Every structure is written in C-alpha cells, then in structure tokens.
Amino acid sequence: MSVVDTTPASTAPALTAREEELLARVPDGLFIGGRWEAGSADPIEVSDPATGRVIKRIANARPEDGIRALDAAAEAAEAWAATPPRTRAEILRRAFDLLQERRDDFALLMTLEMGKPLAEANGEVTYGGEFLRWFSEEAVRIGGRFGQNPEGTGTMVVSQRPVGPCYLITPWNFPLAMATRKIAPALAAGCTVVVKPAELTPLTTLLFVQLLTDAGVPAGVVNVVPTSNAGALSEPIIADPRLRKLSFTGSTPVGRRLLAQAGQNVLRTSMELGGNAPFVVFEDADLEKAVEGAMLAKFRNIGQACTAANRFLVHESIAEDFAARVTAKVKALKLGRGTGDGVTIGPLIDDRAVASMGALIGDAVARGARILSGGNAPDGDGYFFEPTVLVDVQPGSDILREEIFGPVLAISTFATEEEALARANETEFGLVGYVFTSDLARGHRMIDRLDTGMMGLNTGLVSNAAAPFGGVKQSGLGREGGAEGIHEYLTTKYTLIPA
Ligand code: NAD
C-alpha cells in the first residue's frame, strides 16, 4: 500500500526492472502501533548516491507522530515484557531466517540507498542478521543471582528486568546492521522501541520492520518514524517521562547534544559515536598481512565506517615499502555504482562528503603531504571520490584530527614504540585500534596501553555480533553485541527476603 504521493520525479533515475520492482515493494509510510500511516505533506526524498537521483519518496514524521509512536511503544510495553523469553527468542530467530530468505532484497536496497558495493551489502546482511540470531539465543539466558546476605539474616535476590520503552536513533552508513544491533537486544530483553532511521537511508529499516511483523513481532513493539527534522522529532520523545532509554549511533557532536537532553530525565543511554582509529604497523610486522588489513580497515564501506582506520602510523624503516604495496592495491580498486560488475568502491553518501575529502587532502598537501594515488572527485553523476593514498602526512594536519569518513589512506611515520603509542592515543576518540606486529609481547603492551574500547591485533576487521562493540573517551558509552549487549536494555532489581 502507498501512503505517499508517488508522482514520478522529473529526475526519474534509470533503474532496472528489478530495482523498480523492489523499490515499489518497500513500504513508504510511518509504522506506528502496527499500522502504516502518512506523515506530513512534504515527503522525504531518498536518493541513490551513485546518480544523485531520487529513487523513492516516503512519509516524513512530525513531532506529534513521534509522540504517537511512543504512545504505541508504551502501550505495548507491559505485554511484551510479560511475553515468555522463549517466545521472544523464537520471533527473533524467525526474523533471522526470513532475513536469509530475503537477503537479495536487503542487499540490493542498501546498495541503492547508501551506495556500498553489492558484495559488501551482502556482507552487511550477514553481519546484521547475526544480531537477530545472537540475541534470540541470549533472550533465554537472562540470568540473576541469589544468596544469603553476609549477616545471615536474609536472602538477597538479584533479577534483571526490561528497562522499558526505548528510543533508537541510527546512522546512514550501515542501514541494516545498526538497526538490528539495537532492535534485537531490546526485543530480546523485553523492551518496546521507537526507531528513527537516518533520513538519508530510511528504506532498509522500513523493509525490515515489515519483516519483523511477518516474523510475529506484535503491534506497537517496534515503531518506525523516519523524519527530515531529527531534532524536532527527538526532543519531545526524549523529554517524555515514559521513555526509559536512549540508544544512539552517530557522530560525537550529535551524541553530546543528546546526552545533555537525556540528562533531564536521567535516562539510561548507549552512545556509539565517532572514531579516529590508529593503524600501527611495526617494523617486525608481516607486511603482506598489514597491507591486506589496511585495505579492509580503510576501504570497507567506502571508508565510511566508525571503525575505519583513520591514521596510518608506519615504522620509518618500512614506510616506503608499505606505501608502495598499498598504492598498487589501491590502483586496482574499481570505482562505480555498487551494482556494477567487479565494483569495489561505491560513491560517498552526498556532495558534502565529497567536498570534505577535497578539503582534508588540500590541507594535508599544503602542510607537506604527497599524493601517491587518487586525490580527485571524477567528473559525472553521483558522489564519487577516487581512492587515495597520501604519504608524509605532517603532525597538525586536519586529516589526523578529524574522522575522514571516506576512501583516503593517510600515512605518517614513527621511530619508536613509545612514539607510536603516544601518537595513537593523541585523539579525543577511542573506538578501535589496529596493531600489526609479530612480537607477541609488544602486541600485549599495545593492548594494555592503547586507549580504545576495541583492538585488532594483526587484523583489519573486529566486528562480530558475539563481541562487545563500543568505545572509550568521546567514542561513546555502553556496548552493543556480545553478552554485554542485552544488559544495555535490562535493569537490575535487588530484593531482600528476611529469613
Ligand atoms: P549523525 O550524527 O549526523 O546522525 C546520526 C543519526 O542522528 C541520524 O539518524 C540523524 O538523523 C540523527 N540526528 C542528527 N541530529 C539529531 C538531533 N539533533 N537529534 C536527534 N537525532 C539527530 O551521524 P551520521 O552522519 O548519520 O553517521 C556517521 C557518524 O556515525 C560517524 O561519526 C560515525 O563514526 C558514527 N558511527 C558510529 C558507530 C559506532 O558504533 N560507534 C557506528 C556507525 C557510525
């Protein structure tokens, strides 16, 4: 059913029949209390970043729609919390199975609205799906404990209860996985949710909530309100005393603002914020492995990942060799629309991202960096930027301080382990670090002393649904995934029963 006026745009894109058919099947409404609804008169226009053209118009939620979504979540909360864990687990497991069946739709849809190459979109279906499977398994293992108090006068019972209605805000870069990483543990814990997907990539969440309904999630348990005015929609929801938890994935500046708002009602919060990952290659590293890790940590998702390696710190004795090997691989990458044959680098998300790559490279070069490959935005449609290698990046360059969020690999050198460590920790962020060395003792020293929530030792990819994902410092609060992930949605209750 269509709840939005879908008059064709004058800029109608040249979509394939398969793409047209899929986009026509994606719901275009707000999902509140188990029903599809229209939003305000001005729909959200979703574009394909490979062409810049509008591919679908969807309903745009107003602040009053957000409050109605919270009404629905609050109304459904008690019954969902009382639903047996086994039932909640089985619904999540069904959602996992359905996602495998509908894998091709989700992968293609993510490529269309976000731009990532189809193979990577498929990888995200796998990764995103694992949160459904993992938390279906965790739902029935919500423990507690009991024991005699030290005085011997009573029994102490500690149990875990769902925290209550949650507001989940997701970014555009992993449209499926960032949603499942929040929705699955919330539902497993017995919480109901209002989800606000990113305005740039809301379609995947809309298709996903339809899947959840098909899997048996009752009305009101998951509500979805895409909007073009995130601040206006979110403020009243966060200020509403019925809300119990805010979980946000996005940039650190927005995270700071939301934390301040959440402070008013002393909300539980999870904050998965920005990163500025160091990628340290020691002189004793297996260089081929380091190069492979670098390609993955830098160019996955077109460099648009919070875990993307941002600062390559390479020992001065091997820097030239490392840069030459990486450059050869970068030159072999294929830029294009993510659906194209053999494409390994898709477009950036929008024109601001393209401009930002140009500015960061310009500043680095003005301070003495050299370009070994790339460096430009090609002519033509879409928001493409050439994969780029920079060497001799000087301290003080913007590219070392800011999150690049694009396909630019910036190399600087170091002389000693102490220097590498000091430079790696020289950031307000602390999400993940990558270290390549064949010296195990050195590896352990880096694990101990690197100020990050996660670390890859001789690998460029750490994400796993069974692992606690999250950062320290201004990269955030809380963990998603792993045994820790469900506790973000549970609250501890202690009861004393006198003997
Ligand atoms: P963003 O902060 O601009 O937006 C994230 C979400 O917040 C979007 O849904 C957006 O609509 C919403 N938002 C923006 N302003 C808001 C406001 N005032 N009130 C409420 N919601 C608001 O970030 P982005 O550009 O979508 O995503 C990229 C950022 O996300 C990067 O910094 C990246 O590192 C970070 N990120 C972090 C993780 C992690 O797990 N740590 C994962 C993915 C992305």
Side-chain angles (χ1 to χ4, degrees), residues 227-252:
T227 182
S228 62
N229 195 340
L233 182 98
S234 301
E235 250 179 78
I237 297 178
I238 296 169
D240 193 301
R242 293 171 299 174
L243 189 74
R244 290 285 187 278
K245 157 109 196 175
L246 168 65
S247 177
F248 171 75
T249 298
S251 62
T252 296

Side-chain angles (χ1 to χ4, degrees), residues 167 169-174 178 181-182 196-200 227 229-235 238 248-255 257-258 261 271-275 304-307 349 352 403 405 429 431 454 469-471 475-476 480:
Y167 184 38
I169 303 177
T170 58
W172 51 263
N173 59 344
F174 291 97
M178 296 303 98
R181 208 163 78 171
K182 296 183 191 305
K196 194 209 79 58
E199 176 188 353
L200 292 166
T227 182
N229 195 340
L233 182 98
S234 301
E235 250 179 78
I238 296 169
F248 171 75
T249 298
S251 62
T252 296
V254 174
R257 198 171 322 147
L258 292 174
Q261 290 174 24
M271 293 277 146
E272 299 286 352
L273 308 179
Q304 303 169 117
C306 52
T307 50
I349 191 68
R352 283 186 314 164
E403 196 177 16
F405 242 59
F429 296 107
L431 190 60
M454 300 179 286
F469 187 108
S475 285
E480 291 191 325

Side-chain angles (χ1 to χ4, degrees), residues 19 28 39 57 94 148 161 228 230 262 348 386 403 466 477:
E19 291 165 1
D28 59 6
R57 292 187 175 75
R94 255 197 313 277
Q148 206 177 32
R161 302 290 311 146
S228 62
L348 291 171
E386 294 169 349
E403 196 177 16
L477 300 167

Side-chain angles (χ1 to χ4, degrees), residues 308-462:
N310 220 55
R311 295 167 298 144
F312 285 80
L313 301 167
V314 184
H315 190 266
E316 58 191 14
S317 65
I318 53 160
E320 207 171 305
D321 194 1
F322 177 82
R325 292 187 197 211
V326 154
T327 303
K329 288 214 186 272
V330 167
K331 285 187 170 157
L333 293 173
K334 185 172 169 195
L335 196 65
R337 189 173 191 244
T339 49
D341 259 359
V343 166
T344 43
I345 299 279
L348 291 171
I349 191 68
D350 58 16
D351 52 354
R352 283 186 314 164
V354 175
S356 160
M357 293 311 110
L360 288 172
I361 293 171
D363 171 77
V365 169
R367 291 171 196 265
R370 286 182 299 126
I371 300 176
L372 293 191
S373 182
N376 294 300
D379 291 337
D381 279 350
Y383 310 123
F384 292 95
F385 200 89
E386 294 169 349
T388 299
V389 181
L390 292 178
V391 289
D392 300 338
V393 177
Q394 301 300 312
S397 302
D398 292 346
I399 205 161
L400 298 178
R401 199 182 51 250
E402 290 177 24
E403 196 177 16
I404 301 172
F405 242 59
V408 182
L409 192 157
I411 302 175
S412 42
T413 60
F414 66 88
T416 65
E417 186 179 315
E418 278 307 310
E419 184 193 348
L421 187 73
R423 300 249 309 268
N425 281 336
E426 208 172 59
T427 169
E428 82 248 31
F429 296 107
L431 190 60
V432 60
Y434 305 95
V435 171
F436 283 75
T437 176
S438 49
D439 177 343
L440 196 58
R442 173 177 264 166
H444 278 295
R445 285 196 297 278
M446 295 300 284
I447 294 172
D448 285 347
R449 299 178 68 196
L450 209 58
D451 289 337
T452 59
M454 300 179 286
M455 184 160 153
L457 186 60
N458 296 321
T459 176
L461 183 66
V462 297

Side-chain angles (χ1 to χ4, degrees), residues 80 87-99 102 132 187 208-218:
W80 184 244
T87 306
R88 302 199 300 259
E90 281 171 355
I91 290 173
L92 286 171
R93 175 64 204 212
R94 255 197 313 277
F96 169 79
D97 292 337
L98 283 177
L99 186 60
R102 301 179 191 178
L132 298 168
L187 265 53
F208 181 63
V209 76
Q210 192 175 55
L211 179 151
L212 288 177
T213 305
D214 294 345
V217 172

